[in-house]
Amino acid sequence: MQKEKLIIVKVGGNIIDAEDKLQTFLEAFAAIRANKILVHGGGKMATALATKMGIEQQMIEGRRITDAETLKIVTMVYAGFINKNIVAGLQAYGCNALGLCGADGNIIAAHKRVNDTIDYGFAGDIDLIDSEMIGYFLSGNLTPVIAPITHDAKGQLLNTNADTIAQALATAMAKKYEVDLLYCFEKRGVLKDISDEASVVNKITPSIYEAMKKQELISAGMTPKLDNAFAAIDSGVNKVVIGDAAEIEKLIAGTSGTSIARE
């Protein structure tokens, strides 16, 4: 029996901050005629608000250190303003969206990250995705819009990397759906030269990825995307593409962006 198609899109980068680019993206996303889920980040807005409030922000290898005050800010920004702004935008384009974070419906349970050398604060690593609950939303013709805030089932909210959430969702949902995972941001794909938009790497395999890291061609912010992209491919996800949010139809068709492939 053929599985239903499910397209999971993670959007972030400058798309979230630029109203015109966001609206263009939301219109294209709303037009997708398949089951779909949108996962969003929003780090730049959270960082700007934290700076205004005098709360110093630390990033290590593209990941935010989440102290108690920063957790309040990212919850307000991610699960509040950005999430509901996206939901309202999708409703305007006829997409019946449902704004969620991991605590809502207990869809994403996590635990506070443990690391021997770095204290990431209230950063969460995922334990469980409730694919049944998410499937229930999809069966009701709702489009989940998921903010990168999870919980530990003991009352503690946690900040979880949006790229990781998208990968974990794709992996969990791949058991029942044929899942395509798209990482959308402001670049046309993974670039050999960050200053040259024409230097898109059309396909990346594990060996190409390792070679690019050794040559220091992978930026810190791209590392979590690529790590998660390979984890998704290795866990039964049908297709993973990284590319420009303005070309979402081409990304779905596989004619644009960077495709992630096994050797």
Side-chain angles (χ1 to χ4, degrees):
M1 184 175 176
Q2 188 173 8
K3 293 179 179 179
E4 280 188 77
K5 190 70 158 180
L6 170 61
I7 297 173
I8 298 177
V9 180
K10 187 269 175 172
V11 65
N14 292 335
I15 307 304
I16 296 292
D17 299 318
E19 186 62 27
D20 56 339
K21 290 181 180 179
L22 179 60
Q23 290 307 313
T24 299
F25 166 79
L26 293 179
E27 184 174 12
F29 178 83
I32 295 172
R33 293 293 171 249
N35 295 302
K36 54 188 181 285
I37 298 171
L38 181 59
V39 180
H40 65 82
K44 292 179 181 178
M45 188 179 293
T47 300
L49 181 57
T51 300
K52 284 182 181 180
M53 296 176 68
I55 299 168
E56 185 179 350
Q57 298 293 279
Q58 287 183 280
M59 302 287 286
I60 296 178
E61 296 181 346
R63 298 180 187 274
R64 186 184 301 274
I65 304 299
T66 309
D67 59 25
E69 291 304 308
T70 297
L71 180 64
K72 293 176 185 176
I73 290 171
V74 296
T75 301
M76 287 187 287
V77 172
Y78 299 167
F81 178 77
I82 291 177
N83 187 265
K84 301 314 172 191
N85 188 53
I86 287 173
V87 168
L90 287 173
Q91 297 291 3
Y93 294 117
C95 175
N96 195 7
L98 177 66
L100 302 163
C101 77
D104 296 310
N106 194 28
I107 59 170
I108 309 174
H111 64 272
K112 188 173 180 290
R113 181 175 301 158
V114 178
N115 187 288
D116 292 336
T117 57
I118 302 168
D119 182 3
Y120 285 97
F122 292 100
D125 288 332
I126 296 170
D127 293 322
L128 178 69
I129 301 284
D130 189 341
S131 58
E132 292 292 330
M133 180 61 74
I134 294 167
Y136 174 76
F137 295 140
L138 293 171
S139 68
N141 295 317
L142 292 167
T143 296
V145 177
I146 300 176
I149 300 295
T150 58
H151 76 128
D152 68 355
K154 300 174 184 176
Q156 178 64 57
L157 292 172
L158 297 165
N159 181 23
T160 296
N161 181 272
D163 293 332
T164 303
I165 286 178
Q167 178 270 124
L169 277 168
T171 298
M173 301 307 289
K175 294 178 178 65
K176 290 191 176 181
Y177 296 84
E178 182 183 281
V179 178
D180 289 355
L181 173 58
L182 311 180
Y183 284 110
C184 294
F185 64 145
E186 67 276 7
K187 302 292 184 182
R188 295 183 63 200
V190 180
L191 306 178
K192 289 181 183 177
D193 180 354
I194 195 70
S195 62
D196 181 4
E197 284 286 340
S199 66
V200 176
V201 183
N202 294 323
K203 183 171 77 171
I204 293 183
T205 62
S207 60
I208 293 172
Y209 182 34
E210 288 306 314
M212 290 182 72
K213 283 196 289 187
K214 286 179 181 177
Q215 296 171 54
E216 298 184 347
L217 296 175
I218 303 294
S219 66
M222 184 58 69
T223 300
K225 278 186 180 58
L226 285 167
D227 287 346
N228 281 298
F230 281 110
I233 284 291
D234 289 341
S235 301
V237 173
N238 179 56
K239 180 169 69 176
V240 183
V241 183
I242 299 172
D244 190 345
E247 298 186 332
I248 191 166
E249 291 180 6
K250 292 182 179 179
L251 296 179
I252 292 171
T255 58
S256 180
T258 300
S259 295
I260 305 304
R262 300 175 184 89
E263 295 293 356

